[in-house]
Amino acid sequence: MENMLEIKDLHACINGKEILKGINLTVGAGEVHAIMGPNGSGKSTLATVLAGKENYEVTRGEVFFRGKNLLEMSPEERSWAGLFLGFQYPVEIPGVTNVNFMKAAVNEHRRQNQMPELSAAEYLKLMREKMAVVEMDPAFSSRGVNVGFSGGEKKRNEIFQMAMLDPKLAILDETDSGLDVDALRIVANGVNKLKNPDNAIIVITHYQRLLDYIIPDIVHVLYKGRIIKTAGKELAREVETRGYDWLINQ
Amino acid sequence: MSENYIYSPSVSNEFRCRVPLAGSRQFFIVDGQVQGGEKFIVPQETGLDFRLGKGETASDLLQFISVRSKERKENLSYRSRFELEESSSARILLCSHTLSSHHFMTDESVSIHLKANADLNMVVMQNEHDNSSHRTDFDVRLDAGAVLKMHLITLHGGEISNRLNIRLEGPAAECELSGLYLADGEQKVTTDVKLSHNVPGCRSSQLFKGVLDGRSLTRFDGLIYVAPDAQKTEAYQANHNLLISEDAKIYTRPHLEIYADDVKCSHGATVGSLNAEELFYMRTRGIALDEAKLLQQLAFAYQVLEKISNGQLRERLYDLTEKRLRGEFSRCSDCSRHCC
């Protein structure tokens, strides 16, 4: 089976400071990986580098996404190829409505994949269907992207966008932060509905809590820019009770 | 719907606006000459006089389309006068176009007098070729209780200069002013506003925004003047600019002169560039960089356009702004008018 994502010895810097110091990670289709780790260990940097943010410099290593060299692709090319990043802090875009934003995104994806653009009616139908996945009020579609949304609404909007774009690999960066229990359940259920044997998910989180809903196959602990431990889902529970110190001291 | 459009009958097809708005009545000013007469309008040698009687309401949107054609290439000046008597009300759209890329020079003066409790909603839309040079002096007077809403939309033009001198001369007069100017290439746009609160108890607000690309050069000079007795004045002004290229320039100078002590006034100006976080977010959703930049510019412009209360006109101007920002206007050598 072809690997979805293959990261080999990835090093990355920002403003001359090395944050990722040799990451190795392989994700196969149908798998759910969780990446945990204390603050400042490089979790968000890894997600951002994979999505292609330009102010991070990759100094060493390789990343292959569905067989293609990911590091040579622009952020939009990565999206067209099936990569999705759920932001820890979704960006507000005043003046661009949710509906226009996602319509532009969906139709660009379709153009890139040699499919005809959706008509207005087809788009609305798809949008309503996907909004239901995260129990989102259709009234949100006419509002500015994330403008005035609560923390929970922003995260729901991320999963709604994921549902619209139907990615092969979704990286969810602290999707659980700022969520109350109900919102957490709705967001996690949304993710589970989108899960299938042909796609894969990387969940980045501080807490076991989210992993009670989205059950990972493999759990990694990231510390100081390196993966220091990889195990099954029981590792998450162990981290929850024992913290990270016992791993760091190993 | 087409029966709703009323053309000045004597105007030849060449000058007609291709996509008129429903419920609008159109008047043409070709090279400064008004074509045909109408109830409200008295053609002058150059320009026109528009007068609305006491208590009258002009129910249609009145569209004045001013075009420069190659029939008269020399410098041209003309004046239009709009006089709204007590408690009258009108909605007016002033469009100016050039029909070819000659070096047209136009010097226009527009005087507006709103008598007590008159109400005018005016949209000015300027779309001319790169070689045009068009200066417009707006001289505006509002009497007691008069309300003016005015939107200046400068889509395209070689050298466009709008000078506004607005005087609030009667208590409880209100003026809401907004403007959007788009410039690229070697274009120049100048906006000069002097808004005078000469009596107590008036309100004014101003929002001007610019999207500046290429090697364009723009200036904004806005003065709010509050006379010594003009207590209880409320006056606000904001000017925001988005620089798209390294070489575009904006000089902005908002200023206040306040001689009364019981007033609420504010002014501010910003100059910024595209937001990198927003661009990255859009790109991660598969919106290509150029499209993401365009969406951001449109969003910025929309905050001015959304103030236009006529929904159909607002949508039209939004579409035109999008076409303009996609660079479609600069490809037209002989058709600036047909996009509108």
Side-chain angles (χ1 to χ4, degrees):
Chain A
M1 187 186 63
E2 188 187 274
N3 282 324
M4 185 72 81
L5 182 73
E6 214 176 333
I7 303 176
K8 293 178 187 168
D9 193 29
L10 182 68
H11 291 247
C13 300
I14 186 160
N15 302 328
K17 185 168 186 259
E18 190 172 53
I19 309 288
L20 302 182
K21 300 172 182 171
I23 302 274
N24 291 288
L25 177 67
T26 302
V27 178
E31 292 177 355
V32 177
H33 288 237
I35 298 179
M36 304 183 77
N39 286 328
S41 57
K43 304 189 296 295
S44 287
T45 298
L46 175 61
T48 313
V49 167
L50 292 177
K53 196 161 190 180
E54 277 155 359
N55 47 354
Y56 289 88
E57 195 196 344
V58 173
T59 50
R60 208 196 305 170
E62 301 182 292
V63 181
F64 292 95
F65 176 54
R66 301 172 74 200
K68 285 192 245 174
N69 184 344
L70 189 74
L71 299 177
E72 284 179 351
M73 296 157 84
S74 68
E76 55 269 41
E77 287 169 334
R78 297 177 195 209
S79 173
W80 302 333
L83 186 81
F84 179 87
L85 171 63
F87 280 57
Q88 181 179 3
Y89 302 108
V91 178
E92 296 186 9
I93 315 177
V96 178
T97 59
N98 250 340
V99 58
N100 286 346
F101 175 60
M102 277 325 283
K103 202 148 117 190
V106 167
N107 279 329
E108 190 58 43
H109 272 253
R110 293 178 67 90
R111 265 195 296 280
Q112 294 297 329
N113 292 304
Q114 277 81 46
M115 287 159 78
E117 286 188 21
L118 292 177
S119 71
E122 288 167 329
Y123 175 79
L124 278 178
K125 186 170 171 282
L126 181 71
M127 188 182 76
R128 292 226 173 85
E129 199 181 294
K130 301 302 183 190
M131 282 184 131
V133 171
V134 283
E135 302 175 32
M136 202 165 153
D137 182 346
F140 279 94
S141 61
S142 56
R143 288 172 53 180
V145 176
N146 292 322
V147 177
F149 286 28
S150 71
E153 286 160 353
K154 283 181 182 171
K155 296 300 173 74
R156 277 195 217 194
N157 200 20
E158 293 295 285
I159 305 306
F160 158 69
Q161 293 174 21
M162 173 182 163
M164 290 295 282
L165 298 174
D166 191 19
K168 290 290 170 202
L169 175 66
I171 303 165
L172 305 178
D173 187 7
E174 300 209 15
T175 295
D176 51 340
S177 67
L179 293 188
D180 60 37
V181 182
D182 291 330
L184 181 72
R185 186 180 39 78
I186 291 167
V187 163
N189 282 345
V191 173
N192 287 331
K193 282 180 209 161
L194 300 172
K195 183 78 213 59
N196 68 47
D198 295 325
N199 62 22
I201 297 172
I202 299 176
V203 180
I204 293 174
T205 182
H206 269 295
Y207 303 107
Q208 158 68 24
R209 201 172 67 138
L210 178 66
L211 303 178
D212 287 339
Y213 295 95
I214 304 172
I215 314 287
D217 301 300
I218 299 166
V219 177
H220 310 271
V221 172
L222 190 64
Y223 179 68
K224 288 193 174 169
R226 285 192 192 89
I227 289 174
I228 56 168
K229 177 89 178 168
T230 295
K233 64 180 178 217
E234 67 286 350
L235 177 59
R237 204 165 293 280
E238 209 164 348
V239 164
E240 187 76 2
T241 48
R242 297 177 64 189
Y244 294 109
D245 285 350
W246 64 281
L247 286 168
I248 293 166
N249 296 332
Q250 261 181 11
Chain B
M1 267 177 25
S2 62
E3 58 270 28
N4 293 333
Y5 309 144
I6 301 164
Y7 290 105
S8 308
S10 59
V11 169
S12 79
N13 262 330
E14 189 200 349
F15 299 121
R16 287 189 177 173
C17 184
R18 283 263 175 103
V19 275
L21 297 160
S24 67
R25 184 181 285 252
Q26 299 188 327
F27 306 98
F28 287 81
I29 306 163
V30 179
D31 296 320
Q33 307 269 313
V34 179
Q35 311 294 301
E38 267 286 344
K39 186 183 161 198
F40 310 115
I41 294 164
V42 182
Q44 302 296 316
E45 196 178 339
T46 57
L48 60 91
D49 275 1
F50 170 93
R51 192 170 168 278
L52 207 53
K54 190 173 171 181
E56 272 190 289
T57 298
S59 55
D60 296 323
L61 171 69
L62 306 172
Q63 185 181 7
F64 295 84
I65 302 164
S66 171
V67 293
R68 291 286 320 253
S69 78
K70 56 182 185 293
E71 305 302 314
R72 276 192 73 177
K73 292 174 195 159
E74 66 270 30
N75 299 355
L76 185 67
S77 67
Y78 56 92
R79 69 173 288 155
S80 313
R81 244 198 307 250
F82 296 87
E83 213 166 278
L84 275 73
E85 294 293 337
E86 226 172 281
S87 303
S88 62
S89 159
R91 294 174 296 138
I92 289 172
L93 170 61
L94 300 182
C95 299
S96 65
H97 298 300
T98 48
L99 292 187
S100 63
S101 48
H102 287 90
H103 288 267
F104 292 116
M105 292 264 287
T106 310
D107 196 343
E108 187 182 354
S109 111
V110 177
S111 70
I112 299 170
H113 186 179
L114 304 189
K115 298 208 174 152
N117 301 314
D119 177 357
L120 175 62
N121 195 325
M122 182 179 265
V123 177
V124 179
M125 200 273 285
Q126 299 166 320
N127 181 14
E128 303 190 355
H129 284 95
D130 268 331
N131 292 324
S132 79
S133 170
H134 191 153
R135 170 180 164 144
T136 311
D137 283 281
F138 294 90
D139 187 58
V140 183
R141 177 190 164 137
L142 270 66
D143 291 348
V147 178
L148 172 67
K149 277 191 181 177
M150 190 166 173
H151 313 278
L152 281 167
I153 312 297
T154 305
L155 291 175
H156 200 272
E159 206 170 327
I160 302 284
S161 170
N162 291 312
R163 290 159 197 275
L164 297 103
N165 183 12
I166 300 175
R167 288 166 294 133
L168 307 180
E169 299 285 7
E174 268 189 55
C175 176
E176 182 190 318
L177 195 59
S178 67
L180 172 68
Y181 42 90
L182 310 174
D184 64 5
E186 302 285 332
Q187 296 173 350
K188 295 185 174 69
V189 182
T190 300
T191 309
D192 240 301
V193 183
K194 182 180 181 191
L195 204 152
S196 306
H197 283 254
N198 290 333
V199 294
C202 293
R203 274 180 58 95
S204 69
S205 68
Q206 301 175 48
L207 173 66
F208 283 88
K209 296 184 97 171
V211 180
L212 315 165
D213 204 345
R215 297 169 42 81
S216 64
L217 177 63
T218 47
R219 272 189 353 104
F220 176 84
D221 199 314
L223 169 66
I224 297 172
Y225 169 87
V226 182
D229 296 331
Q231 305 296 358
K232 306 286 181 197
T233 286
E234 273 186 54
Y236 309 103
Q237 182 188 70
N239 174 233
H240 302 298
N241 299 282
L242 193 54
L243 291 175
I244 307 301
S245 70
E246 295 273 325
D247 295 321
K249 284 199 180 89
I250 167 82
Y251 297 100
T252 174
R253 194 165 84 102
H255 45 137
L256 297 170
E257 260 183 58
I258 303 175
Y259 298 99
D261 51 15
D262 183 12
V263 301
K264 282 185 195 163
C265 291
S266 70
H267 66 158
T270 61
V271 179
S273 48
L274 293 168
N275 181 312
E277 293 300 316
E278 290 179 21
L279 291 179
F280 177 63
Y281 188 66
M282 291 193 258
R283 294 176 79 189
T284 64
R285 274 38 179 165
I287 297 172
L289 180 60
D290 284 347
E291 194 66 19
K293 285 181 176 174
L294 181 89
L295 278 177
Q296 221 179 83
Q297 293 172 55
L298 270 173
F300 182 83
Y302 192 66
Q303 287 160 354
V304 172
L305 298 176
E306 72 181 353
K307 292 181 173 288
I308 295 171
S309 45
N310 179 330
Q312 208 191 357
L313 179 56
R314 183 175 63 237
E315 288 307 308
R316 176 76 52 77
L317 287 169
Y318 188 71
D319 290 347
L320 287 171
T321 301
E322 179 173 346
K323 275 191 186 164
R324 163 65 167 99
L325 292 173
R326 285 187 191 279
E328 289 181 23
F329 287 10
S330 28
R331 285 198 287 276
C332 308
S333 61
D334 280 311
C335 72
S336 77
R337 174 183 51 100
H338 290 171
C339 293
C340 311

